[in-house]
Amino acid sequence: MRINVIRSSMPSFEEYTEAIRPLWDSVWLTNMGANHEKLAGQLCEYLRVKNVSLFVNGHMALEMALQAMDLEGEVITTPFTFASTTHAIVRNGLTPVFCDIDPNNYTIDATKIEELITPKTCAIVPVHVYGCLCDVEEIERIAKKHGLKVIYDAAHAFGVEYKGIGVGNFGDASMFSFHATKVFHTIEGGAITTGDEELIDKLRKLKDFGIKDEEIVDGIGANAKMNEFCAVMGLCNLRHVDGEIEKRSLVTKAYRQNLSDIEGISILPVQKDVKPNHAYFPIVIDEKEFGADRQTVIDSLEQQDIHTRKYFYPLTSDMDCYKGMFDSSLTPVAKHIADRVITLPMSASLTQDDADRICGIIRSCKGAGKQ
Ligand SMILES: *Cc1c(COP(=O)(O)O)cnc(C)c1O
């Protein structure tokens, strides 16, 4: 049977249809309906944050959070992420300045942030990539010292906690993605979490065309609201998400057991004091030590109908739309990882036997050379 890199979690058909039935009576399909409000409230509790503003997707949430902060100039971020992070910065008329990543968790290397700060720097947009926690304490120290805003791309970090604190509490704001491919989803969806009430108020208006009330439009907003059908999917999925993360943890365990002793394959170390969400399982292949390159492993798995992804390759700074604008040799660790990484299949529906089989195929590639 085909194994994809991800597989969306679904509530039962009956659970979802039962939950959307009242919409045929209320005929309130979007615009902050009852399910939207209920989901926002439940997410506040689950993520242990003060405020949640729901969005049509994670990307628009990030774009609007940056817009709401009235930023100008340069934003320090990483190129080892999904296109969305960099696009959100650029689409706000801001200039991304790429910082290298930490080889131990692939998030922004906080020791390299300060050397990139100029008089034009206004914010830092770090990414909790794969659900790995950024060095939130050091980033906070730097931001305070230099008067910078911090907006986390927490698209991968749903449910992650650090010393019992929900990941969405760090920085001035955090963006979560509830896309179908993420640990928790609303089909399409996203959110901003923040302790800043004024920001929440601005976002409520911005995602609804900047409308303050019936006669006053005081922001140049757009349409980025979450509809009721998506909110209901979220309410259903939230009931099961702990169980789904638990199942994912067994896959992580099987991968770790099978892969930790293979020379030439690196896996990420477990982060201290961090409650993980098992969103992804990346491996990095050192061609010399392993005796085979990344493509050989990808192709061997593909032959058995197992599909992996090169998340994240290319670096956003190397994407065609940014040709000639950035120099990825200035972020050598990010470049090194992007050239060698594979994300293995990861979902709650994967069994430990699947994981064992996948690892067996990877192991059999050792010393196979280039294909
Ligand atoms: C998924 C993702 C986004 C965008 O979220 P959408 O909900 O798909 O718009 C942004 N950043 C990262 C790192 C992501 O993985």
Side-chain angles (χ1 to χ4, degrees), residues 57-59 81-82 84-85 127 153 155-156 175 177-179 182 189 280 312:
N57 58 53
H59 178 82
T81 181
F82 187 50
S84 169
T85 322
V127 184
D153 180 335
H156 294 178
M175 175 276 281
S177 165
F178 305 150
H179 185 259
K182 303 297 191 329
Y280 299 90
F312 286 98

Side-chain angles (χ1 to χ4, degrees), residues 28-324:
W28 188 330
L29 307 183
T30 185
N31 284 33
M32 293 43 123
N35 294 288
H36 176 282
E37 298 304 293
K38 194 169 166 191
L39 180 62
Q42 289 190 8
L43 285 172
C44 275
E45 248 172 71
Y46 189 88
L47 296 171
R48 301 175 185 228
V49 294
K50 280 209 192 81
N51 305 287
V52 168
S53 184
L54 295 175
F55 280 83
V56 66
N57 58 53
H59 178 82
M60 286 310 297
L62 182 58
E63 250 191 61
M64 289 197 161
L66 293 169
Q67 183 190 352
M69 289 182 189
D70 292 319
L71 302 170
E72 237 176 83
E74 297 173 355
V75 175
I76 297 173
T77 186
T78 57
F80 189 72
T81 181
F82 187 50
S84 169
T85 322
T86 303
H87 288 353
I89 294 167
V90 174
R91 286 167 57 86
N92 268 288
L94 300 161
T95 306
V97 173
F98 291 109
C99 184
D100 210 351
I101 59 171
D102 182 335
N104 290 311
N105 53 43
Y106 309 158
T107 70
I108 195 164
D109 185 343
T111 66
K112 293 182 181 151
I113 294 175
E114 279 190 294
E115 65 201 52
L116 298 172
I117 295 175
T118 74
K120 289 186 189 158
T121 309
C122 59
I124 310 172
V125 176
V127 184
H128 299 298
V129 69
Y130 305 130
C132 293
L133 189 85
C134 297
D135 188 348
V136 289
E137 285 156 348
E138 179 63 5
I139 292 168
E140 185 177 330
R141 186 194 68 78
I142 294 167
K144 278 233 172 77
K145 183 174 158 196
H146 298 274
L148 306 174
K149 294 281 187 194
V150 180
I151 305 100
Y152 282 102
D153 180 335
H156 294 178
F158 188 86
V160 170
E161 293 180 9
Y162 177 55
K163 295 180 177 168
I165 300 167
V167 71
N169 290 289
F170 299 105
D172 295 281
S174 298
M175 175 276 281
F176 292 87
S177 165
F178 305 150
H179 185 259
T181 54
K182 303 297 191 329
V183 168
F184 165 78
H185 78 87
T186 60
I187 309 172
E188 291 267 9
I192 292 295
T193 61
T194 176
D196 181 347
E197 305 282 343
E198 204 181 316
L199 179 64
I200 282 292
D201 197 48
K202 270 191 185 171
L203 290 173
R204 186 182 51 73
K205 288 188 287 186
L206 280 179
K207 70 184 172 189
D208 192 21
F209 305 101
I211 296 172
K212 185 176 180 192
D213 60 37
E214 269 180 39
E215 297 190 358
I216 300 175
V217 178
D218 64 358
I220 306 174
N223 183 0
K225 305 182 296 288
M226 179 183 285
N227 72 58
E228 286 292 280
F229 289 79
C230 289
V232 169
M233 182 59 93
L235 288 168
C236 293
N237 280 335
L238 197 55
R239 289 183 200 128
H240 307 293
V241 72
D242 284 335
E244 299 287 287
I245 292 173
E246 181 63 29
K247 286 183 200 155
R248 286 167 174 270
S249 77
L250 300 177
V251 181
T252 298
K253 200 171 149 202
Y255 278 149
R256 282 194 179 284
Q257 275 171 357
N258 278 299
L259 297 174
S260 56
D261 68 333
I262 304 181
E263 216 185 326
I265 290 191
S266 327
I267 57 178
L268 286 171
V270 173
Q271 286 187 297
K272 195 169 168 283
D273 298 325
V274 175
K275 179 180 160 195
N277 68 354
H278 307 285
Y280 299 90
F281 199 93
I283 63 171
V284 169
I285 296 180
D286 180 317
E287 187 182 333
K288 260 209 205 105
E289 275 186 43
F290 187 63
D293 68 352
R294 167 168 69 176
Q295 201 56 47
T296 303
V297 176
I298 291 172
D299 293 345
S300 303
L301 289 164
E302 196 76 32
Q303 277 165 18
Q304 308 286 326
D305 224 8
I306 297 163
H307 304 273
T308 56
R309 291 294 292 272
K310 297 176 196 169
Y311 273 153
F312 286 98
Y313 172 87
L315 296 176
T316 63
S317 52
D318 281 335
M319 288 177 172
D320 284 2
C321 56
Y322 297 122
K323 218 175 205 128

